[in-house]
Amino acid sequence: MKKFALYLSILVLAFASGMFLENIFASDRFQADTEEKVQSSTDLSSTTKASVTNQTTEKSYTSKVNQKNIQQSVTDDSSTESTTDSTTKSLEQSISSEYTKSTEKTKETKESTETKQIKDAKNKEATTKNSSTKKTQNENKVAKSNNQRTQTSKTSVTQKQNTAKQQAIQPAPKAELKALQTIELQVQSTSPASSSLLYRDLTPTLNHKQAVNHLYLQPNATIYQSPSTAAEVVAGFQKYRGYTAISRKSVENEMGIWYQIAFPDTTIGWVQEKQTKNRNQDYYFYTTGGPHPNLAMVENLSIEVSITKKRVYVKANNQVIYTMLCQTARDGYETPTGNYQVNDYRATSFWSTFGGADYAVGWKDGGLYLFHSVDKASNEGPYVKSQGLKLGVTQVGTSHGCIQLAIEDAKWFYQQLPVGTPVSVF
């Protein structure tokens, strides 16, 4: 029992000791744990502080770095932006320059194209115009040829009618009026009405039968600048009254038929048919150039004869003052050309184996080559009508080499042409 109690005491003591030791150990462990925890807490605090410090430092550093990077970035961005702006401006200038050059080049190309088109259009227009002009000229030539054929046909009919009416011993040749139409006009420098013919009258007119007519101007004849009594009269027209003129054109209006008259190639004006008398069958008896000038009053007088035109020109100081119709050598004979002088041969009438004429004036080899009237059929006459109706007609001839004139023109030369007057035949 005692042993049990002893055992129990020992067990209690052991338990108590164990508990004491356990408490001591537990206290030591607690203290160690506490110190460890404190130390750990301290370490943790230090670590935390260091971490915080490190984080703060790191954040500060990172912030500074970021700020610096941001500044650098801003600077770089600014520099980049500046560089970009500069590059952009340069690019814009280059593009603008290229665009300007391209625009100018396009404009020049367009202008060049337009200019070329205009030039091509003008060339085409000029070509068309030239073609049209040539076509018009050809049409005019055809129309003119047709008009000439018509006039020739009408003239031939007139000649046949006149031949049938006139039963003369020596009738006029059928081609005489046709040949007269071919007379080439020559305007004299002393045309009395050349400046006044600019007047135009608007009276409706129609072309009349066109033919060459020799018209005697009656004492009441009035010459107008246009075929109308409302037109202005030709200055000094009275001096032409009583003379025989040539008409190559006629018209008809409400006032009747009008003739345009000339002496023989210088156009004077218009006269009404009722104030004229037709002298187609005997015009070679009368003056063919209008009123004769007084040759004694002419300075530096000279005479020219055109064999081709069948004209005699009286000149003063080398200016034509009078023109008259003539005729020259026929086939088989020749009118000599060259420069000569009027000699002292004169004859009121003559007759020879070659025939005869009146009012002769020598101009070469004494009385061999003469100015004289139309030939006579015999010493006593009459004048040969067929020769008289060829005065002024080109491409024919009637004499043996002399120069034949209308009777009044030959008489004028016979009376007034001075010896020594130069004579040129061409």
Side-chain angles (χ1 to χ4, degrees):
M1 191 64 175
K2 287 180 179 183
K3 286 181 179 185
F4 179 74
L6 182 58
Y7 283 147
L8 184 59
S9 296
I10 294 168
L11 183 62
V12 169
L13 286 171
F15 180 75
S17 296
M19 289 296 290
F20 177 76
L21 290 170
E22 184 177 0
N23 286 331
I24 290 172
F25 290 144
S27 176
D28 290 337
R29 282 194 304 271
F30 178 77
Q31 185 176 1
D33 290 337
T34 301
E35 288 178 357
E36 184 178 359
K37 287 181 179 180
V38 169
Q39 183 65 34
S40 175
S41 176
T42 300
D43 293 338
L44 181 62
S45 177
S46 297
T47 303
T48 301
K49 288 181 180 181
S51 175
V52 169
T53 301
N54 291 333
Q55 289 179 359
T56 303
T57 302
E58 185 176 353
K59 286 182 179 179
S60 177
Y61 176 77
T62 304
S63 177
K64 289 181 180 180
V65 170
N66 289 336
Q67 185 175 5
K68 187 174 182 180
N69 290 334
I70 289 170
Q71 291 177 352
Q72 183 68 30
S73 176
V74 170
T75 302
D76 293 338
D77 290 340
S78 176
S79 176
T80 304
E81 183 178 359
S82 176
T83 303
T84 304
D85 291 340
S86 177
T87 304
T88 302
K89 289 181 180 179
S90 177
L91 183 60
E92 289 177 351
Q93 290 177 355
S94 177
I95 294 172
S96 176
S97 176
E98 291 296 328
Y99 177 77
T100 302
K101 290 181 180 179
S102 177
T103 303
E104 291 178 352
K105 187 173 182 180
T106 304
K107 186 176 180 181
E108 291 177 355
T109 305
K110 185 177 180 180
E111 290 177 351
S112 177
T113 304
E114 291 177 351
T115 303
K116 185 176 181 180
Q117 291 176 350
I118 292 172
K119 185 180 291 184
D120 292 339
K122 287 183 177 179
N123 290 335
K124 186 176 181 180
E125 183 180 356
T127 303
T128 304
K129 187 174 181 181
N130 290 334
S131 178
S132 177
T133 301
K134 290 181 179 178
K135 184 177 180 181
T136 302
Q137 289 176 350
N138 290 334
E139 291 176 352
N140 290 338
K141 288 181 179 179
V142 172
K144 185 176 180 181
S145 177
N146 291 335
N147 289 336
Q148 289 178 348
R149 291 195 188 101
T150 302
Q151 291 177 357
T152 301
S153 177
K154 291 181 179 180
T155 301
S156 178
V157 172
T158 302
Q159 292 169 357
K160 290 180 180 179
Q161 291 175 350
N162 291 334
T163 302
K165 292 179 181 180
Q166 299 295 330
Q167 298 297 328
I169 296 175
Q170 293 177 318
K174 295 180 180 180
E176 60 191 19
L177 293 179
K178 177 182 176 181
L180 274 172
Q181 286 181 295
T182 65
I183 294 175
E184 184 177 346
L185 299 181
Q186 176 179 351
V187 178
Q188 296 182 205
S189 60
T190 56
S191 173
S194 58
S195 61
S196 62
L197 288 176
L198 297 176
Y199 176 85
R200 292 194 65 184
D201 189 87
L202 299 180
T203 304
T205 60
L206 295 174
N207 285 333
H208 187 249
K209 180 180 178 181
Q210 303 304 308
V212 175
N213 290 292
H214 296 268
L215 303 173
Y216 168 76
L217 302 182
Q218 297 184 13
N220 66 337
T222 302
I223 304 174
Y224 296 90
Q225 296 179 3
S226 182
S228 172
T229 54
E232 295 183 10
V233 299
V234 173
F237 71 90
Q238 296 87 347
K239 67 182 178 180
Y240 299 110
R241 288 173 173 171
Y243 289 92
T244 300
I246 295 178
S247 174
R248 299 178 179 89
K249 182 178 181 181
S250 60
V251 297
E252 185 174 4
N253 56 27
E254 60 185 8
M255 301 173 192
I257 297 174
W258 292 78
Y259 291 103
Q260 186 182 58
I261 59 171
F263 287 100
D265 303 321
T266 302
T267 301
I268 305 301
W270 294 83
V271 64
Q272 289 180 291
E273 181 187 36
K274 61 185 180 181
Q275 295 178 344
T276 67
K277 181 179 179 181
N278 190 291
R279 281 184 169 169
N280 285 340
Q281 297 302 314
D282 60 356
Y283 70 89
Y284 56 91
F285 279 93
Y286 309 99
T287 61
T288 58
H292 289 141
N294 186 352
L295 297 183
M297 305 297 294
V298 176
E299 294 183 358
N300 297 319
L301 176 66
S302 63
I303 307 297
E304 287 187 356
V305 179
S306 173
I307 296 175
T308 303
K309 296 179 180 180
K310 310 300 181 181
R311 295 290 190 272
V312 172
Y313 304 105
V314 178
K315 289 188 170 185
N317 294 316
N318 208 33
Q319 297 295 320
V320 176
I321 61 172
Y322 192 84
T323 303
M324 52 189 174
L325 307 181
C326 75
Q327 195 49 262
T328 54
R330 62 176 178 252
D331 289 344
Y333 295 88
E334 181 181 8
T335 298
T337 58
N339 298 317
Y340 310 98
Q341 287 185 348
V342 174
N343 56 49
D344 59 359
Y345 180 87
R346 289 282 198 284
T348 305
S349 180
F350 70 93
W351 184 259
S352 70
T353 56
F354 292 104
D358 294 334
Y359 307 116
V361 176
W363 53 271
K364 184 180 186 299
D365 298 336
L368 186 59
Y369 292 97
L370 308 168
F371 291 109
H372 61 71
S373 69
V374 174
D375 282 354
K376 295 188 294 185
S378 67
N379 192 27
E380 291 78 19
Y383 295 108
V384 181
K385 183 177 181 180
S386 61
Q387 290 189 7
L389 294 180
K390 289 182 180 179
L391 283 179
V393 179
T394 61
Q395 298 180 351
V396 296
T398 58
S399 75
H400 297 93
C402 292
I403 299 169
Q404 295 180 349
L405 303 173
I407 296 166
E408 285 296 321
D409 290 336
K411 184 177 180 180
W412 172 52
F413 262 21
Y414 172 79
Q415 293 174 341
Q416 295 191 15
L417 189 59
V419 173
T421 301
V423 177
S424 176
V425 182
F426 58 93

